[in-house]
Amino acid sequence: MIVRIALPTPLHRLFDYLLPLTPVEQEPQPGCRVRVPFGNRELVGLIMEVSENSDVPRNKLKPVHEILDSEPVVDPTLFKLGQWAARYYQHPMGDALSHLLPVLLRQGKPAEFAHAELWRAVDGAAVDKLSSSAHRQRELLELLLEHPAGISADALRAEGGQTPLLKTLAEKGLAEAFEHRPTPLHADLTEDLLNEPALPVHGEQADALEAIYAASGFTPFLLYGVTGSGKTEIYLQAIEKTLAAGKQALVLVPEIGLTPQTLGRFRARFRVPVHALHSNLSDRERLDTWLHARAGSARIIIGTRSAIFTPMKNPGLIIVDEEHDGSFKQQDGFRYHARDLALVRASRENVPVILGSATPALETLHNASSGRYQLLKLTQRAGNARAPRFELLDIRQQPLEAGLSDELIRRIHQHLGSGTQVMLFLNRRGFSPSLICNNCGTVVDCTRCDAHMTLHRNPPHLHCHHCDRQTPIPRACSHCGSTELKPLGIGTERAEDALQKHFPDVPILRVDRDSTSRKSALEKMMAVVHSGEPCILVGTQMLAKGHHFPKVTLVAILDADAGLFSADFRGMEKTAQLILQVAGRAGRADHPGEVVLQTLHAEHPMLQTLIGSDYLHFAQQEMKLRYAAALPPFAHHAIVRGEASRQGWAEQFLQELDQSARTQVQMPEGVQVIGPFPSPMEKRGGLFRAQLLISAKTRPALHAWLGALIRQAEADPQGRRVRWTLDVDPIDNY
Ligand code: ADP
Ligand code: ZN
Ligand code: ZN
């Protein structure tokens, strides 16, 4: 017998192996892991098929070393979802399927819980069976009797027990060790689910919930709700219903580390445990959570992108919070989009799926307006909270100090004076985005990228944010030798500096990747914010995600123009989302908020729509432009990217790829090829990059053409000096 194996390699194919002739203990089934020889290594792969024959001559086939599972590691629905995703994203099967498994299973470890050894007193054991002089044995036995469900030796020691005497007790027939597989508390609850009552809902919230409750089987919802409108409350109540039906809920969020408050709310609400799949878990903890989810004993699973592949025994609901967030798309290797896979998965599991956002992606809105998704709207803030007031602050001809206008400084004074907090948003970390020679105008560039070096003050150095290159600050201009080098432009460190001068008595909290690289740093800053004392937060988009700052009453966006004239056709959409997400942090609870956008383009139609109307109106306008230009969501895109050590190689490779595919295969109707062009940032990390954009009217046409391209690329000997990747449904063109 022959087994066809998916192995984690970059090759777009499966590999055949022989099963040993001697009867094997484990029946080989698709979905079971095997260990096989591959070159001079051993790899762990998944059986895709058991077959009688192979295209490879029998004497060339190698035998499987070991079958690792007696049953498929994941259920057939998830296994098929993985295969579908590999084909959809045109990614090598074995590598794509490895995403279904936690690291320990990829390494071939058994799919079993960690077994803890516990101790307990045997039935009928009593202290008076021990001699009254055996004090320490008596104490130990007493401790054991206090823990009838069993206790680990470590825990006994912590309670003062003399654990070396456990053996003695066992020999006397008074105590015994046993293996314990930890099951989460309340894993099977379907009643008395709540720790705290659900909030009473009315109006739009009640309507939305009613629609969700009425759903049976696969039903996609778009929950469009302005920040603070009570989307999370809807999730909680929808999940309660799911749990009451004995089922599990999977919740995808952009970044758990940044949204501890959301997780806290889930934990506060339910008595069933909430399992978070975050990046601080050890491999062992990750596997245990995965096993609990697979066994059905993890009832609520919250995780980031990769959690979409968590197995569930009784799936009942899938939620994608902040569905517009770019972090749901994996940006290297297997470039899947977890939000899109959530829909495919919900359909295959036949369960409802809720996509929630205050600023939905245009793709999602398009699906809602074409009737594929049911649109649920929450247009008001929940409770007594009022929406923030928006204002464009025209800074033409205004002197700025480190990006701050006089008017803005006046407002900051005003808000701090009334005892509330202020948040300033600037999406650029470092002191200034460039260092320029005052004499000849030369800017210090990265030698490996088409990019300027960012100046950092703390500690002082230059840093390329694209390839991570770091250098000392040069003393003189490399072009003219002048020593007059000046920072040009504003980063968060510089804004922080200026604020400190203006507001010496107020804590200034800078939140960006540099200031929060140590784990506790962010927590400490958040503690200051939540103390409620006046303070100024200044930071990058880390501030835009998830946090609720009830005491912030002024939000200022220092450079609202940053994304207005982007080369990326999604630039405007992303800018609008960012502005509204940042604004949404302000004025929750009953502090009315004020949002100030500093701009040089106060007449810009996008800014006007955003402040005068709402996101849906902005999206409608943007959608018309996309339609007119036949851009997504009115077309389907894929990008083939190439990179090589010499300029021109990648472009030439893509050119030849395109041409040879055209000579081999008839190009399907409705497919358009744009490029190849050098990438918007051609040189990066020392490599020269180019890209080929494929646009198609339909997905089948797109996929047919991509298939043809991949076959050519794999056959092309030039492919060796050009590293190429394929991105289906790219979310940016870099
Ligand atoms: P979103 O997720 O849309 O930002 P939340 O669910 O976090 O909104 O709700 C914002 C605030 O309003 C929270 O403090 C929440 O407790 C409160 N809230 C939500 N729904 C209700 C309700 N039905 N009654 C009273 N307060 C509510
Ligand atoms: Zn110079
Ligand atoms: Zn660089």
Side-chain angles (χ1 to χ4, degrees):
M1 265 209 292
I2 283 154
V3 278
R4 210 145 281 144
I5 312 288
L7 289 174
T9 74
L11 299 171
H12 282 261
R13 46 168 292 209
L14 302 177
F15 299 86
D16 288 358
Y17 284 85
L18 283 175
L19 279 180
L21 283 177
T22 47
V24 281
E25 276 172 50
Q26 318 279 32
E27 189 69 18
Q29 290 179 55
C32 290
R33 291 172 302 151
V34 290
R35 204 189 287 282
V36 297
F38 189 83
N40 49 13
R41 295 177 292 162
E42 250 196 351
L43 290 179
V44 173
L46 284 164
I47 301 180
M48 303 301 291
E49 205 182 335
V50 182
S51 167
E52 304 271 286
N53 35 45
S54 169
D55 295 338
V56 183
R58 218 150 250 265
N59 57 7
K60 290 258 168 80
L61 288 175
K62 290 192 188 145
V64 164
H65 281 174
E66 195 182 354
I67 298 177
L68 295 166
D69 302 299
S70 55
E71 279 170 26
V73 271
V74 294
D75 61 86
T77 311
L78 189 54
F79 193 39
K80 284 195 192 124
L81 176 78
Q83 295 171 44
W84 182 90
R87 283 192 294 271
Y88 183 84
Y89 293 104
Q90 306 267 347
H91 192 74
M93 184 62 73
D95 191 65
L97 291 181
S98 72
H99 286 72
L100 299 181
L101 304 179
V103 170
L104 292 180
L105 295 191
R106 291 182 206 174
Q107 295 169 351
K109 302 273 179 350
E112 285 172 4
F113 287 97
H115 289 254
E117 191 186 54
L118 297 188
W119 286 83
R120 67 185 163 209
V122 299
D123 274 353
V127 179
D128 52 22
K129 292 192 177 163
L130 286 164
S131 122
S132 57
S133 63
H135 296 296
R136 293 187 308 169
Q137 290 181 39
R138 281 175 158 244
E139 275 168 24
L140 187 61
L141 186 55
E142 263 170 18
L143 276 178
L144 287 175
L145 288 165
E146 283 170 24
H147 297 276
I151 178 170
S152 70
D154 286 344
L156 276 172
R157 201 173 306 122
E159 294 195 21
Q162 297 290 325
T163 48
L165 296 174
L166 282 168
K167 258 202 194 137
T168 320
L169 291 185
E171 279 157 14
K172 294 185 176 165
L174 295 172
E176 64 185 3
F178 66 102
E179 280 213 334
H180 174 67
R181 169 209 281 198
T183 309
L185 274 177
H186 308 309
D188 49 4
L189 277 195
T190 54
E191 286 168 31
D192 289 335
L193 289 158
L194 303 185
N195 272 331
E196 57 170 30
L199 297 173
V201 293
H202 317 280
E204 291 177 326
Q205 256 185 330
D207 294 344
L209 268 174
E210 201 178 313
I212 295 168
Y213 288 161
S216 77
F218 173 58
T219 321
F221 294 100
L222 166 56
L223 178 60
Y224 161 72
V226 299
T227 0
S229 59
K231 292 185 293 297
T232 310
E233 185 61 32
I234 302 266
Y235 304 152
L236 292 169
Q237 299 197 23
I239 291 173
E240 185 188 343
K241 186 101 185 296
T242 307
L243 297 175
K247 296 188 172 164
Q248 298 167 278
L250 175 64
V251 184
L252 301 186
V253 295
E255 240 163 304
I256 292 182
L258 295 180
T259 54
Q261 288 160 316
T262 308
L263 192 58
R265 278 173 73 189
F266 278 73
R267 293 207 158 127
R269 176 67 55 94
F270 295 108
R271 283 176 68 218
V272 300
V274 176
H275 292 255
L277 287 166
H278 53 76
S279 53
N280 291 335
L281 292 185
S282 69
D283 288 345
R284 185 66 244 181
E285 289 168 321
R286 197 170 283 278
L287 175 56
D288 277 352
T289 303
W290 189 90
L291 290 168
H292 276 303
R294 189 178 74 163
S297 48
R299 302 289 297 283
I300 304 175
I301 302 126
I302 301 189
T304 46
R305 176 177 67 228
S306 60
I308 187 57
F309 296 117
T310 311
M312 282 187 282
K313 188 168 178 221
N314 301 308
L317 176 64
I318 302 176
I319 292 170
V320 185
D321 189 27
E322 310 288 8
E323 66 84 32
H324 64 278
D325 197 278
S327 72
F328 288 123
K329 172 91 167 151
Q330 179 139 306
Q331 294 286 29
D332 51 19
F334 181 26
R335 292 167 173 262
Y336 64 94
H337 200 308
R339 179 244 289 147
D340 296 348
L341 287 183
L343 275 127
V344 182
R345 179 152 187 204
S347 149
R348 289 168 175 252
E349 309 269 21
N350 199 28
V351 300
V353 53
I354 306 173
L355 309 182
S357 176
T359 54
L362 293 196
E363 277 82 359
T364 306
L365 280 174
H366 183 59
N367 280 321
S369 56
S370 65
R372 272 192 289 271
Y373 303 169
Q374 215 169 307
L375 178 62
L376 309 172
K377 282 199 216 177
L378 306 177
T379 56
Q380 307 291 324
R381 288 201 168 188
N384 304 321
R386 273 180 280 158
R389 194 162 47 80
F390 279 77
E391 188 183 340
L392 295 178
L393 190 58
D394 191 339
I395 50 169
R396 271 173 296 192
Q397 274 132 44
Q398 297 253 351
L400 296 185
E401 188 194 344
L404 308 163
S405 62
D406 289 347
E407 175 59 19
L408 181 56
I409 289 176
R410 203 182 59 75
R411 303 269 183 107
I412 298 175
H413 266 297
Q414 203 184 354
H415 282 260
L416 294 175
S418 64
T420 58
Q421 301 173 336
V422 170
M423 177 175 137
L424 306 180
F425 174 78
L426 176 63
N427 215 7
R428 236 178 281 126
R429 65 195 170 95
F431 187 81
S432 83
S434 50
L435 187 63
I436 187 169
C437 169
N438 218 20
N439 182 45
C440 75
T442 300
V443 175
V444 184
D445 283 332
C446 177
T447 50
R448 298 159 49 84
C449 304
D450 293 331
H452 301 325
M453 297 292 281
T454 298
L455 175 66
H456 286 251
R457 272 281 182 83
N458 191 10
H461 70 288
L462 294 182
H463 194 156
C464 172
H465 288 179
H466 301 281
C467 72
D468 233 17
R469 200 171 88 95
Q470 304 187 24
T471 64
I473 299 171
R475 258 183 252 137
C477 170
S478 63
H479 186 72
C480 74
S482 160
T483 51
E484 268 192 69
L485 298 180
K486 289 237 166 102
L488 183 69
I490 316 295
T492 46
E493 284 181 5
R494 195 170 190 176
E496 179 191 18
D497 243 33
L499 288 164
Q500 236 145 25
K501 281 187 206 114
H502 274 280
F503 304 95
D505 306 326
V506 179
I508 316 282
L509 309 168
R510 177 164 60 86
V511 180
D512 56 30
R513 208 145 30 102
D514 302 314
S515 71
T516 56
S517 57
R518 261 177 300 116
K519 222 187 109 206
S520 56
L522 183 62
E523 279 163 38
K524 277 193 195 134
M525 288 194 274
M526 291 303 131
V528 176
V529 184
H530 293 299
S531 77
E533 288 306 301
C535 65
I536 302 174
L537 278 154
V538 52
T540 58
Q541 59 181 341
M542 284 183 84
L543 283 177
K545 292 194 184 182
H547 292 291
H548 301 178
F549 301 126
K551 279 279 229 162
V552 169
T553 52
L554 171 64
V555 171
I557 295 174
L558 298 190
D559 182 6
D561 305 336
L564 290 185
F565 305 101
S566 159
D568 185 344
F569 71 88
R570 283 192 172 81
M572 206 67 88
E573 177 185 356
K574 287 178 187 164
T575 304
Q577 289 168 341
L578 198 54
I579 289 176
L580 290 183
Q581 292 291 338
V582 173
R585 307 301 124 209
R588 314 203 74 174
D590 24 358
H591 296 275
E594 175 178 26
V595 180
V596 172
L597 283 68
Q598 291 196 136
T599 175
L600 293 168
H601 303 277
E603 290 82 36
H604 197 289
M606 194 275 280
L607 293 179
Q608 288 288 341
T609 311
L610 270 192
I611 69 148
S613 183
D614 61 11
Y615 181 77
L616 287 189
H617 281 94
F618 155 76
Q620 265 169 12
Q621 289 181 5
E622 190 64 13
M623 206 78 96
K624 282 189 197 140
L625 300 177
R626 299 274 185 95
Y627 182 78
L631 287 167
F634 304 98
H636 306 287
H637 277 181
I639 295 179
V640 190
R641 298 187 177 89
E643 58 182 30
S645 55
R646 294 247 186 103
Q647 192 161 23
W649 279 3
E651 218 175 324
Q652 187 195 346
F653 167 77
L654 293 174
Q655 184 76 51
E656 288 173 17
L657 187 64
D658 180 49
Q659 264 156 20
S660 59
R662 284 172 201 258
T663 57
Q664 299 289 324
V665 188
Q666 163 93 41
M667 187 182 276
E669 209 182 310
V671 173
Q672 210 190 341
V673 177
I674 301 140
F677 295 122
S679 300
M681 182 184 295
E682 183 179 12
K683 189 167 82 165
R684 184 162 147 186
L687 295 173
F688 293 87
R689 308 164 328 134
Q691 60 193 43
L692 188 68
L693 174 67
I694 324 288
S695 174
K697 283 201 182 126
T698 65
R699 286 192 195 281
L702 180 70
H703 278 80
W705 190 243
L706 293 180
L709 285 177
I710 288 180
R711 279 191 298 279
Q712 294 305 315
E714 290 211 312
D716 187 346
Q718 265 214 53
R720 285 201 206 113
R721 59 181 206 187
V722 178
R723 205 180 84 91
W724 62 274
T725 57
L726 181 59
D727 191 352
V728 178
D729 302 334
I731 60 166
D732 59 41
N733 58 8
Y734 284 83

